[in-house]
Amino acid sequence: MAGYLTTHVLDTAKGIPAAGLRIELYRIEGDARKHLKTVTTNADGRTDAQILPETEFVKGTYELVFHAGDYLGQRDFLDVIPLRFTTSEASHYHVPLLLSPYGYSTYRGS
């Protein structure tokens, strides 16, 4: 089994999927941060394709950057949410984000 990366963003303040939220994916290599792609969530709060598909998956450290301020239409508190994590095996890495204007939560999903 090869590894891959997905996400799902839910707007917990409104009780709906966070559609139209921009997400950037970076690979961290030492002190370098390499931009791999930018995606946007669909009506279900997911991306249309895997953020990091099996054909591009490499074990290592990655960062998902969620542009919450743009989605929320405000920058009173949350603006950009960076989530850095390490993939240590070829597996499905699902990184959900539960978002509200003044807080967020994440975990390794399934």
Side-chain angles (χ1 to χ4, degrees), residues 19-81:
L21 190 142
R22 182 169 47 105
I23 304 167
E24 294 173 314
L25 174 65
Y26 293 87
R27 179 166 169 77
I28 309 302
E29 299 171 346
D31 291 336
R33 187 173 174 247
K34 180 182 177 189
H35 180 261
L36 299 179
K37 65 176 61 174
T38 301
V39 296
T40 303
T41 56
N42 60 25
D44 192 37
R46 302 175 189 270
T47 57
D48 290 331
Q50 296 167 347
I51 298 173
L52 188 63
E54 294 178 11
T55 56
E56 299 171 23
F57 181 86
V58 176
K59 295 178 199 174
T61 301
Y62 292 91
E63 186 174 89
L64 285 171
V65 178
F66 296 87
H67 290 267
D70 291 342
Y71 166 78
L72 295 166
Q74 65 179 34
R75 286 184 182 77
D76 293 339
F77 184 65
L78 290 178
D79 185 13
V80 175
I81 301 170

Side-chain angles (χ1 to χ4, degrees), residues 86-107:
T86 299
T87 60
S88 58
E89 60 187 50
S91 180
H92 176 195
Y93 289 86
H94 184 63
V95 183
L97 182 71
L98 305 176
L99 176 64
S100 73
Y102 299 101
Y104 66 91
S105 176
T106 189
Y107 55 95

